[in-house]
Amino acid sequence: GELPGRGGGMEAAGVPANGPYSQEKEIHSENIRVESKLFYLDLKENPRGYYLKISERGSARERSTVVVPQDGVPYFLELFRFYGAGGLEAGAATAKHLQLQNKVFYFEVGDNPRGRYLKISEGSVGPRGRSMLIIPSGGAGDVAWGTFSEKL
């Protein structure tokens, strides 16, 4: 179902109830709060198979979403385990990328005055272009990244 504060669904966004999105079915949802951000992990299914939608809502940014096709979900789980193991330095040595169908996902650890973060960018062909999530580490031991692997 619709989670609190998540809008009025596809019809409210101008998508007709009998359009291609009407065949979507939500399988499972999880919420993760990391510092001032709330992340939604939604496993959904449509006629082409299942997919994982990860959305971020923070106080300073608009909502941002990446959509992971079915064959990429195990890779995302492994990457969150890799980053969640902790001890990784920021920079190019920890950067990874994943090519799936017409999308490329980029993972990179960074540092700023507020702490460490994992940046996940989705580049795709089509009108969506590029989307990005910024996931704080959650403090010592990069506990937030480990939480993502547990929830996936």
Side-chain angles (χ1 to χ4, degrees):
E2 194 72 29
L3 294 173
R6 302 228 8 225
M10 294 302 226
E11 286 185 33
V15 177
N18 61 353
Y21 295 102
S22 66
Q23 296 176 16
E24 286 183 347
K25 182 172 79 173
E26 189 169 294
I27 297 170
H28 186 78
S29 284
E30 293 278 349
N31 295 340
I32 300 173
R33 180 166 290 284
V34 181
E35 298 173 11
S36 65
K37 294 184 174 192
L38 185 57
F39 295 89
Y40 304 96
L41 283 74
D42 298 314
L43 185 63
K44 296 189 172 202
E45 186 176 30
N46 65 22
R48 292 178 297 193
Y50 72 87
Y51 61 95
L52 177 65
K53 183 171 135 184
I54 305 173
S55 300
E56 160 194 352
R57 176 161 287 164
S59 56
R61 289 182 58 194
E62 296 275 326
R63 177 152 79 186
S64 187
T65 300
V66 297
V67 178
V68 184
Q70 175 175 332
D71 54 346
V73 173
Y75 294 105
F76 263 65
L77 174 59
E78 279 306 309
L79 284 164
F80 275 115
R81 284 183 181 149
F82 171 75
Y83 290 113
L88 298 173
E89 296 299 318
T94 60
K96 305 273 183 207
H97 76 276
L98 174 63
Q99 172 85 44
L100 294 168
Q101 300 167 13
N102 63 343
K103 298 181 178 200
V104 181
F105 295 93
Y106 300 94
F107 297 78
E108 186 177 350
V109 174
D111 259 317
N112 66 24
R114 292 185 302 248
R116 292 161 45 82
Y117 60 87
L118 177 60
K119 179 170 71 173
I120 301 174
S121 303
E122 171 193 346
S124 62
V125 177
R128 285 201 44 198
R130 193 172 187 95
S131 188
M132 180 176 34
L133 302 175
I134 305 287
I135 304 173
S137 70
D142 302 329
V143 293
W145 303 340
T147 301
F148 271 81
S149 69
E150 292 166 15
K151 297 287 186 176
L152 286 176

